[in-house]
Amino acid sequence: MALQAAWMDGIAQMARAGARIIIDDVFLGGAASQQRWRKVLAGLAVLWVGVRCDSAVAAGREIARGDRIQGMAASQANVVHEEVSYDLEVDTTQTESLVCARTIAAHVG
């Protein structure tokens, strides 16, 4: 936990110094995971984006990549969003990643 806290603090300090940062994190702890980020990013402008994907589609992509532990995508597809709040959500189930990226970019100030 100490290493994770130090890493998160470092990210926040870079943002406070003016760096524009994208954090890609899987909230295995649901709302508690998001709360840790909310605490360290307090005072900063943050766009919370939820990236969803149907668990069956995620599982297929996992197999196709060949470098993932099979079963993780399906087991995490919904758990990571439990009680997490977002400013914006995109769904990659049938929407191309570039379209999702453009949707997110349109909301970045």
Side-chain angles (χ1 to χ4, degrees):
M1 258 329 198
L3 182 58
Q4 181 184 30
W7 174 74
M8 292 170 79
D9 247 5
I11 297 294
Q13 290 305 318
M14 288 188 293
R16 285 189 174 83
R20 295 177 59 110
I21 297 174
I22 296 172
I23 301 167
D24 181 358
D25 199 350
V26 178
F27 291 160
L28 296 174
S33 295
Q34 184 182 38
Q35 187 55 36
R36 284 192 292 278
W37 275 114
R38 283 188 184 279
K39 182 178 176 183
V40 21
L41 299 174
L44 294 167
V46 176
L47 177 67
W48 295 97
V49 180
V51 180
R52 295 186 181 267
C53 184
D54 177 79
S55 62
V57 172
R61 291 176 183 168
E62 177 181 72
I63 292 167
R65 285 187 181 112
D67 64 345
R68 307 293 167 103
I69 297 171
Q70 290 187 19
M72 286 183 68
S75 69
Q76 295 175 357
N78 295 313
V79 170
V80 298
H81 300 289
E82 289 178 1
E83 299 182 35
V84 175
S85 60
Y86 302 111
D87 301 311
L88 173 68
E89 291 188 44
V90 295
D91 190 325
T92 66
T93 303
Q94 294 182 16
T95 305
E96 292 293 326
S97 58
L98 184 56
V99 173
C100 291
R102 286 183 176 143
T103 299
I104 295 165
H107 287 81
V108 174

